[in-house]
Amino acid sequence: MARIIARDARLGFRERGSDLSLHIGIPRATVTADSAHVMVGYRQQITRTGDLNFYIEENQYLFARDAAGWRYVRRVFVRHGDGGCVRGR
């Protein structure tokens, strides 16, 4: 499941420790006999501007167990928060 989530094109990893780093966390995961629901949170806070400038998003990834292991089913948008400067980068 982690490999599938990591391939999500939206992640766009950046240099570790940079103020442009995208922090990814898994606040909760529920696994049953034949399905898994994994909540993934993305957070970014740009500190160099001196202004309030942040981005937060949570998505739930749904998986189903099949003969080959875990199969990705879909991603469900949960919530989004964005504060600060106009986006565009």
Side-chain angles (χ1 to χ4, degrees):
M1 288 182 275
R3 282 193 303 270
I4 294 169
I5 292 169
R7 284 195 306 253
D8 191 327
R10 296 163 0 99
L11 298 183
F13 292 102
R14 295 174 177 87
E15 179 183 338
R16 185 183 177 111
S18 163
D19 68 347
L20 298 177
S21 294
L22 183 63
H23 303 274
I24 301 169
I26 298 176
R28 65 187 166 278
T30 305
V31 179
T32 62
D34 61 353
S35 66
H37 301 255
V38 182
M39 185 67 70
V40 178
Y42 312 94
R43 178 179 59 83
Q44 183 178 43
Q45 183 168 357
I46 301 172
T47 55
R48 68 176 174 204
T49 65
D51 297 325
L52 176 66
N53 198 352
F54 70 91
Y55 166 82
I56 299 170
E57 183 170 314
E58 284 190 345
N59 293 291
Q60 185 176 52
Y61 289 78
L62 307 175
F63 297 88
R65 192 186 304 266
D66 63 17
W70 290 103
R71 177 178 50 85
Y72 170 76
V73 176
R74 71 179 177 272
R75 180 180 65 212
V76 178
F77 171 79
V78 176
R79 64 180 169 168
H80 172 84
D82 195 352
C85 305
V86 175
R87 298 290 175 220
R89 56 182 171 82

